[in-house]
Amino acid sequence: MYEDRIRRPALMNKLMSADQAALLFKDGMTVGMSGFTRAGDAKALPAALVERARQGTPLQLTLLTGASLGNESDGLMANAGVVARRMPFQADAALRRKINSGEVMFIDQHLSETAEQLRSGDLKAVDIAVIEAVAITADGGIIPTMSVGNSASFVQQAHKVIVEINLSAPLALEGFHDIYVPAARPHREPIPLLTPAQRIGQPTIRLHPDRIAAIVITDSPDSPSNALPPDDETDAIARHVITFLEGEVKAGRMDTSLLPLQAGIGTIANAVLHGLVDSPFRNMTMFSEVLQDSAIELLDSGHLAMASASSITLSAAMHQKFLDNIEQYRERIVLRPQEISNHPEIVRRLGIIALNTALEFDIYGNVNSTHVGGTHMMNGIGGSGDFARNGQLSVFVSKSVAKDGAISSVVPFAAHVDHTEHDVDVLVTEWGLADLRGLAPRERAPRIIENCAHPDYRPQLRAYFEEALLGGGQTPHVLEKALSWHARYKREGSMLVK
Amino acid sequence: MYEDRIRRPALMNKLMSADQAALLFKDGMTVGMSGFTRAGDAKALPAALVERARQGTPLQLTLLTGASLGNESDGLMANAGVVARRMPFQADAALRRKINSGEVMFIDQHLSETAEQLRSGDLKAVDIAVIEAVAITADGGIIPTMSVGNSASFVQQAHKVIVEINLSAPLALEGFHDIYVPAARPHREPIPLLTPAQRIGQPTIRLHPDRIAAIVITDSPDSPSNALPPDDETDAIARHVITFLEGEVKAGRMDTSLLPLQAGIGTIANAVLHGLVDSPFRNMTMFSEVLQDSAIELLDSGHLAMASASSITLSAAMHQKFLDNIEQYRERIVLRPQEISNHPEIVRRLGIIALNTALEFDIYGNVNSTHVGGTHMMNGIGGSGDFARNGQLSVFVSKSVAKDGAISSVVPFAAHVDHTEHDVDVLVTEWGLADLRGLAPRERAPRIIENCAHPDYRPQLRAYFEEALLGGGQTPHVLEKALSWHARYKREGSMLVK
């Protein structure tokens, strides 16, 4: 039984239930789990840990992952009090509440940096790694499932490794992964990746089999993507982006294969990529952190030659399609550790076009990606900073308003800054696109206001900017009013002055 | 005459006065000038351009440099109306006024990125390059003087190249420089630099001699550094940093040679390095953008094995000492293009300890490096972002108060954000050091307040944080009061509540 999944017979005696494996955990431990944007997350151990905590065992863990988990695992663990500290990303409503109430300490990190900080000892070492796998090979290699995330680094560092073999993950996933982990600094070689398609590592996560402390069998599929379908506004955003990229091609700054594309997780970025199915661009590549439905559509339509990422997060229907045609995708998709998919060295070398979603941005182009109202965490910065800083073109997209117009995404002063104006080249809403390259802040403001803001908010923004100019400066502001829009929303339920 | 300086006889006929060379410039041109932190700047052409403008020729230029210029060139050109647009950095009082009044458009950039943006066409191409040189070699190579900056990229791109041969720059500077320029993306090889000492390029800036349009002879030395000497407060900051680094060695995260050091321009960073003369660290290296007096002291004391940078900016006395002993330094100093000295690929690979100066930082560790009162440009972000984002340790230093205590450098909310909390590991003032690694914002605040803020301001900061906690969130704030400290300073002349 399971001979195709556990190909090293000596490991069969490590098979146990998730409840048994959960006994390996001790209060205060640091745990590294697989899982990146709901893909490839460990399915059984989170539930088993919750159960152990419910039975009264104190179990306050520091939980590291690739990115967000599926199956409501983050929320279940948070509500059971299992998670004391969490990094580097999450996207769960229940965990979010615990974070914003101060019950869970959330350390929001650039996704390329967590593995580096573990390696350098800046973060406490991982005690136990829990890794979802398709199979364990005869030489003891772990074949990951639909994401790689930080799994290879967790395995490298952990004292004990628990492997969750997921029977619902097809054996045909073998060969999608390219596992390369940089050496410790300061004696590190260049990362030899020169193109999105290149493979530079091993197809499995290598470890000495003795380090596998437990093998647990599961069969639950990944949670499907919760990205919403495109709508009129995301279609308009996509059109603005495509027109802009056509201009870049005409100006000779790139050819019709563009530059490798990155697109952040979520509805708007997915919609923009979806729009490229109707674009004149051909033979494109992706070098991204997550592949959503749109990436598969572009591979199928032939617009996209290949795609590199750290995870694949699909809707249920697209997931089935992917499985049905998996052989076609294996040569065209590479799944990498997130340290490599997001690595500044590689992103800068390849010259990525980075498409990421903003919660809000200010009239000078500073972007808030994370904090609702400047204070409350939504998900986390994710890889947006890795790509926006180091790519050739940094594009942020947002709908111009939220809450039926009560919130303007374009504000005088970002109530939280994740990306500074230095790292933001282009801003796009359904109303238009602001190309900010080579502009000073005083030149950026009118372009952002007139091209991107909702017309209802433009008079207020113009008035703010004009008043700010009276005080002078490189980045004029009226400090007393800079955050007044957010305060007004909190007080009156709308940023709009009646 | 000048045979040792112009070693290609056919170029002798390009010799002309600065006034003649200034006739090559046309209104609206983009000009790339050598010069980085007052070192190696063109001395004659700025004055000649000012003179031409004074005589009535319209001459509104876009001026790019490495970083700041010496000789008040930036101010003279700004006051003469020669500079319409300026990037990527400046540090001149007169130009600063023109920037803050909106008369000069200043595009504040990460110093590693300007060359990249020129190469990709995101910025308008350089028409004329003006490069200070020690000499032109027989094969037409330009030997830079005390800085490299963006000179190699300007020369590569410019239609015309003007060389200023500075007779006060000794011929013995030949051999200090290592010129390597990355290829255009997306087909770029890894940058092969593996250690701070390695040389990967050519000793000169290569170009076809026909592209040299003019050679001008000068003999003015660089403006001396304007860094102030260490004082009690900078000594205290240095001691906190050294104690912290000793702890890193004890914890096994680095050995006594530490990791390659970067230190930003200016008094405080210079003082911190100066303090390392009394440290237990040996065989250190620097991988920085500028070498100040402290770097020479550390080379002389033997603490520092070698230093790599893009410029050398010294006091008059230290400059003389450097010249008197120049042969000793040639094997221990490498001068590189700023794209390489600051390159994310290299900074991340080497695992730099980055020491940069903050104007202010907030209780969560967001840093303002550039904007006085949130609106008025001081100098620019410079290379601080290149190093802070990509280094292993990102340390920001500041005195706890300015203006005799009327301004607290620790504030509830940074009035401008150049470095987000994601990129800030350690904060230091004369009062102490806050190690923020692995901490959530709610944990960072008390540590920053109690360790770094001036005791006079701690009660106010504690009160703000406590009130903010009532509203909850990952990063609690009272939006109505977040910028009130800056507003109070403007209104009442002090941030302190009486």
Side-chain angles (χ1 to χ4, degrees):
Chain A
M1 221 189 152
Y2 307 134
E3 285 80 5
D4 54 345
R5 299 284 183 164
I6 305 173
R7 302 178 196 161
R8 189 177 180 94
L11 285 174
M12 286 292 183
N13 65 3
K14 300 288 176 70
L15 272 170
M16 62 183 79
S17 71
D19 290 340
Q20 285 175 295
L23 298 175
L24 296 169
F25 294 75
K26 293 195 171 63
D27 191 31
M29 274 186 167
T30 296
V31 177
M33 286 191 182
S34 67
F36 191 108
T37 55
R38 306 164 75 85
D41 51 324
K43 312 290 192 292
L45 263 298
L49 291 170
V50 166
E51 188 51 36
R52 236 193 116 197
R54 280 195 183 137
Q55 287 169 7
T57 309
L59 213 53
Q60 289 259 308
L61 305 176
T62 294
L63 176 61
L64 286 72
T65 57
S68 56
L69 302 179
N71 298 291
E72 301 179 12
S73 293
D74 254 328
L76 294 171
M77 286 190 283
N79 283 337
V82 169
V83 181
R85 307 179 70 75
R86 182 76 174 87
M87 61 191 94
F89 187 83
Q90 62 78 40
D92 182 278
L95 174 56
R96 189 178 294 141
R97 278 192 294 276
K98 293 279 185 189
I99 288 169
N100 287 321
S101 68
E103 293 166 84
V104 173
M105 292 296 105
F106 177 53
I107 297 92
D108 181 25
Q109 300 187 303
H110 300 301
L111 292 187
S112 78
E113 292 191 356
T114 309
E116 196 81 273
Q117 291 181 23
L118 285 171
R119 190 180 297 121
S120 63
D122 288 338
L123 295 176
K124 209 162 141 280
V126 169
D127 297 301
I128 299 184
V130 184
I131 310 297
E132 185 179 82
V134 168
I136 301 172
T137 60
D139 61 355
I142 296 172
I143 303 171
T145 56
M146 294 288 273
S147 72
V148 179
N150 283 316
S151 295
S153 290
F154 293 157
V155 166
Q156 207 171 54
Q157 189 172 63
H159 300 300
K160 293 181 177 163
V161 177
I162 299 172
V163 180
E164 286 196 5
I165 302 272
N166 189 329
L167 302 178
S168 83
L171 288 166
L173 278 172
E174 187 170 359
F176 275 78
H177 314 91
D178 183 54
I179 310 297
Y180 178 96
V181 178
R185 299 179 291 197
H187 305 292
R188 179 182 293 174
E189 296 289 316
I191 301 169
L193 194 73
L194 301 180
T195 67
Q198 192 181 340
R199 288 173 181 272
I200 58 174
Q202 305 292 325
T204 64
I205 299 172
R206 308 295 293 270
L207 78 166
H208 194 288
D210 289 353
R211 296 180 55 233
I212 297 179
I215 300 173
V216 174
I217 304 294
T218 71
D219 63 359
S220 316
D222 285 342
S223 300
S225 160
N226 49 10
L228 302 171
D231 58 27
D232 288 350
E233 285 155 355
T234 63
D235 283 349
I237 291 171
R239 280 197 305 276
H240 297 310
V241 171
I242 291 168
T243 302
F244 170 76
L245 292 174
E246 288 174 340
E248 292 300 290
V249 173
K250 266 192 209 123
R253 285 191 282 270
M254 46 190 83
D255 66 28
T256 55
S257 68
L258 303 181
L259 288 165
L261 293 165
Q262 175 262 339
I265 187 79
T267 299
I268 303 183
N270 185 51
V272 170
L273 276 200
H274 172 81
L276 290 173
V277 169
D278 295 320
S279 78
F281 311 123
R282 294 291 182 276
N283 205 29
M284 292 184 287
T285 57
M286 280 187 78
F287 192 81
S288 197
E289 56 188 14
V290 54
L291 305 181
Q292 302 188 82
D293 282 15
S294 51
I296 305 295
E297 289 169 1
L298 286 170
L299 285 168
D300 290 349
S301 73
H303 288 72
L304 198 60
M306 66 77 53
S308 163
S310 194
S311 86
I312 307 174
T313 302
L314 304 174
S315 65
M318 190 61 87
H319 189 77
Q320 191 54 52
K321 189 177 174 197
F322 172 80
L323 293 181
D324 292 345
N325 300 279
I326 194 162
E327 296 300 332
Q328 295 176 26
Y329 296 113
R330 195 183 300 110
E331 293 306 306
R332 297 172 72 198
I333 291 178
V334 185
L335 290 178
R336 308 181 187 280
Q338 70 198 70
E339 188 178 3
I340 302 300
S341 65
N342 290 32
H343 202 290
E345 174 173 341
I346 309 301
V347 175
R348 178 80 170 239
R349 182 180 300 151
L350 296 177
I352 304 297
I353 299 171
L355 297 166
N356 290 289
T357 305
L359 268 186
E360 70 176 2
F361 48 85
D362 68 26
I363 56 173
Y364 300 112
N366 300 287
V367 168
N368 174 3
S369 297
T370 54
H371 280 65
V372 177
T375 54
H376 282 60
M377 176 56 60
M378 174 62 78
N379 299 329
I381 193 168
S384 56
D386 291 322
F387 292 101
R389 170 69 64 89
N390 299 298
Q392 174 156 334
L393 272 177
S394 166
V395 181
F396 280 90
V397 296
S398 176
K399 296 190 181 186
S400 68
V401 291
K403 302 272 181 201
D404 292 325
I407 293 176
S408 173
S409 306
V410 189
V411 292
F413 194 106
H416 180 90
V417 176
D418 291 293
H419 309 287
T420 70
E421 52 110 350
H422 312 285
D423 298 330
V424 179
D425 295 320
V426 174
L427 290 169
V428 197
T429 68
E430 73 277 18
W431 293 97
L433 179 146
D435 179 358
L436 307 173
R437 291 175 293 177
L439 297 187
R442 282 169 182 254
E443 299 169 306
R444 292 175 149 231
R447 194 169 288 194
I448 292 170
I449 294 169
E450 304 308 329
N451 293 15
C452 297
H454 191 285
D456 290 351
Y457 281 100
R458 288 182 200 172
Q460 269 177 243
L461 289 166
R462 289 181 199 125
Y464 177 86
F465 180 54
E466 277 160 30
E467 185 179 351
L469 283 172
L470 300 176
Q474 162 84 351
T475 307
H477 273 299
V478 187
L479 290 181
E480 293 83 351
K481 298 184 179 174
L483 294 169
S484 65
W485 291 35
H486 300 84
R488 185 182 309 121
Y489 174 75
K490 238 175 131 175
R491 206 172 53 235
E492 300 173 12
S494 177
M495 287 184 175
L496 203 62
V497 176
K498 305 295 179 208
Chain B
M1 220 188 156
Y2 308 135
E3 285 81 4
D4 53 345
R5 300 283 183 164
I6 306 173
R7 302 177 196 162
R8 189 176 179 92
L11 285 174
M12 286 293 182
N13 66 1
K14 301 288 176 71
L15 270 169
M16 62 182 79
S17 71
D19 289 341
Q20 285 175 294
L23 297 174
L24 296 169
F25 294 76
K26 292 193 173 65
D27 192 31
M29 274 186 167
T30 297
V31 176
M33 285 191 183
S34 67
F36 192 108
T37 54
R38 307 164 75 84
D41 51 325
K43 312 290 192 295
L45 262 298
L49 291 169
V50 166
E51 187 51 35
R52 236 192 117 195
R54 281 194 182 138
Q55 288 168 9
T57 309
L59 212 54
Q60 289 258 310
L61 305 175
T62 295
L63 176 60
L64 287 73
T65 57
S68 55
L69 302 179
N71 299 290
E72 299 178 13
S73 293
D74 254 328
L76 294 170
M77 287 190 283
N79 282 337
V82 170
V83 181
R85 307 179 71 74
R86 183 76 176 85
M87 61 192 91
F89 187 84
Q90 61 78 42
D92 182 279
L95 174 55
R96 190 179 294 141
R97 278 192 295 273
K98 293 279 184 189
I99 289 169
N100 287 321
S101 68
E103 293 166 86
V104 173
M105 293 294 106
F106 178 53
I107 297 93
D108 182 26
Q109 300 186 303
H110 299 302
L111 292 187
S112 79
E113 292 190 354
T114 309
E116 195 81 274
Q117 291 180 22
L118 286 171
R119 190 180 297 120
S120 63
D122 287 338
L123 295 176
K124 208 162 142 279
V126 170
D127 297 299
I128 298 185
V130 185
I131 310 296
E132 185 179 81
V134 169
I136 302 173
T137 61
D139 60 356
I142 296 172
I143 304 172
T145 56
M146 293 289 273
S147 72
V148 179
N150 283 316
S151 296
S153 290
F154 293 157
V155 167
Q156 206 171 55
Q157 189 172 64
H159 301 300
K160 293 179 177 162
V161 176
I162 299 173
V163 179
E164 287 196 5
I165 302 272
N166 190 329
L167 301 178
S168 83
L171 289 166
L173 279 172
E174 188 170 358
F176 276 79
H177 314 91
D178 183 54
I179 310 298
Y180 177 96
V181 178
R185 299 179 291 198
H187 305 294
R188 179 181 294 173
E189 298 287 316
I191 301 171
L193 194 72
L194 302 179
T195 67
Q198 192 181 342
R199 287 171 183 273
I200 59 174
Q202 305 293 326
T204 65
I205 300 171
R206 307 296 293 268
L207 79 167
H208 194 288
D210 289 354
R211 296 179 55 232
I212 296 179
I215 301 174
V216 174
I217 304 293
T218 71
D219 62 359
S220 315
D222 286 342
S223 299
S225 159
N226 49 10
L228 301 171
D231 59 25
D232 287 351
E233 284 156 356
T234 62
D235 283 349
I237 291 170
R239 279 196 305 276
H240 296 311
V241 172
I242 291 168
T243 302
F244 169 76
L245 292 174
E246 287 174 339
E248 292 301 289
V249 173
K250 265 190 210 125
R253 285 192 283 270
M254 44 190 85
D255 65 28
T256 54
S257 68
L258 304 182
L259 289 165
L261 292 165
Q262 176 262 340
I265 186 79
T267 299
I268 302 182
N270 185 53
V272 171
L273 276 200
H274 171 82
L276 290 173
V277 170
D278 295 319
S279 78
F281 311 123
R282 294 291 182 278
N283 206 31
M284 293 184 286
T285 57
M286 281 188 77
F287 192 81
S288 195
E289 57 188 15
V290 53
L291 305 181
Q292 301 189 83
D293 282 16
S294 52
I296 305 296
E297 289 169 359
L298 287 170
L299 286 169
D300 290 348
S301 73
H303 287 72
L304 198 59
M306 67 77 54
S308 164
S310 195
S311 86
I312 306 175
T313 301
L314 304 174
S315 65
M318 190 62 88
H319 189 76
Q320 193 53 52
K321 188 177 176 196
F322 173 79
L323 293 181
D324 292 345
N325 301 280
I326 194 164
E327 296 301 331
Q328 294 176 26
Y329 297 113
R330 195 183 299 108
E331 293 306 306
R332 297 172 71 197
I333 292 178
V334 185
L335 291 177
R336 308 181 188 280
Q338 70 197 72
E339 189 179 3
I340 302 301
S341 65
N342 290 33
H343 202 289
E345 173 174 339
I346 309 301
V347 175
R348 179 82 170 238
R349 181 182 300 150
L350 296 178
I352 304 294
I353 299 172
L355 296 166
N356 290 289
T357 304
L359 270 185
E360 69 176 2
F361 48 85
D362 68 25
I363 57 173
Y364 300 113
N366 299 286
V367 169
N368 174 5
S369 297
T370 55
H371 281 64
V372 177
T375 55
H376 281 60
M377 176 56 60
M378 174 61 78
N379 299 330
I381 193 169
S384 56
D386 291 321
F387 292 100
R389 171 69 65 87
N390 298 298
Q392 173 157 333
L393 270 177
S394 166
V395 181
F396 280 90
V397 295
S398 176
K399 294 188 182 187
S400 68
V401 292
K403 302 272 182 202
D404 292 325
I407 294 177
S408 174
S409 305
V410 189
V411 293
F413 193 106
H416 180 89
V417 176
D418 291 292
H419 309 286
T420 69
E421 53 110 351
H422 312 286
D423 298 331
V424 180
D425 296 319
V426 174
L427 291 169
V428 196
T429 68
E430 74 277 18
W431 293 98
L433 180 147
D435 179 359
L436 307 172
R437 290 175 294 177
L439 298 188
R442 284 169 181 254
E443 298 169 307
R444 293 175 148 231
R447 195 169 290 193
I448 291 171
I449 295 169
E450 304 307 330
N451 293 14
C452 296
H454 190 286
D456 290 351
Y457 281 100
R458 287 182 199 170
Q460 269 177 245
L461 288 166
R462 287 181 199 127
Y464 178 85
F465 180 55
E466 276 161 29
E467 186 178 351
L469 283 171
L470 300 176
Q474 162 84 352
T475 306
H477 273 300
V478 187
L479 290 182
E480 293 83 350
K481 299 184 180 176
L483 294 169
S484 65
W485 291 36
H486 300 84
R488 185 182 309 123
Y489 173 74
K490 238 175 133 176
R491 205 173 53 237
E492 301 173 13
S494 176
M495 288 184 173
L496 203 61
V497 176
K498 306 292 179 211

